Amino acid sequence: MLIGSGFGAAALLGAGTGVRWWREREFRLQSAARDAEVKVETDLAPVKRLMPQLGPVVSAHWTLWSSALPGDRLPMGPIDAYFHGFVQVAAGQVARLLDGHGTAATALPRVSKLLEPFVPAGGSWVRSEELDRRLLTARGSELFFDRGADLVYVSAHNLFDPDMEHVGTGPDGKATTTPPSQYPVQP
């Protein structure tokens, strides 16, 4: 009887491992399908609408990756969107944005292969955690500034339109409301 129980437990463990393997395989296939759909965008309208506090935008090269699965009509659960891109602002604008804010020199994070061609050679990057929170309305964001090139690298999770109030759920499960940004748009 003890031997039979051992075989039963082994069968259950093997089935659990098989299910886990299948789920991981499906996730890898779905991720590859999603990644194949991502392309570099240059449309300035969404950048200007979602990031008006950056000021005058000259050009942008960006990607948007969504957690929605390809072909899903009604995905289950929340959908997350990840924006990554280089935003070229008007001459002197990075200096104006950084003026009066503490910054720290940093390296640019690893960017996707799609955006690698837009990484400037010899860039000198700084960050300001205060500006991460003040310049974008998002679930999470990191901004990297290159004064010499007037370039901003934006990495943001779930950007919200700064002119709209966003209602969501906080980490404690309670309802949260994010008001429109009060940070003035730079000239």
Side-chain angles (χ1 to χ4, degrees), residues 2-74:
L2 215 45
I3 294 173
S5 296
F7 286 126
L12 284 175
L13 285 173
T17 302
V19 169
R20 186 173 46 249
W21 173 84
W22 180 260
R23 285 185 184 155
E24 289 173 3
R25 177 185 171 275
E26 287 299 303
F27 178 77
R28 283 191 306 275
L29 290 174
Q30 291 166 351
S31 292
R34 260 188 245 120
D35 291 346
E37 292 181 358
V38 174
K39 62 181 182 168
V40 175
E41 303 283 348
T42 57
D43 186 5
L44 298 182
V47 175
K48 289 178 178 182
R49 188 181 82 246
L50 295 172
M51 303 175 213
Q53 294 86 347
L54 291 181
V57 174
V58 176
S59 68
H61 294 89
W62 53 275
T63 61
L64 186 67
W65 184 90
S66 172
S67 64
L69 300 175
D72 278 357
R73 292 195 181 140
L74 295 172

Side-chain angles (χ1 to χ4, degrees), residues 134-158:
R134 294 188 84 189
L135 292 179
L136 297 182
T137 307
R139 175 150 304 148
S141 63
E142 290 183 325
L143 301 171
F144 297 80
F145 301 91
D146 182 349
R147 278 189 180 105
D150 278 303
L151 193 64
V152 182
Y153 177 71
V154 178
S155 175
H157 173 209
N158 288 350

Side-chain angles (χ1 to χ4, degrees), residues 5 10 12 56 81 89 102 106 124 128 132 145 158 162 164 167-168 178 183:
S5 296
L12 284 175
V89 294
T106 188
S124 177
S128 169
D132 288 349
F145 301 91
N158 288 350
M164 296 180 66
V167 178
T178 304
Y183 194 77

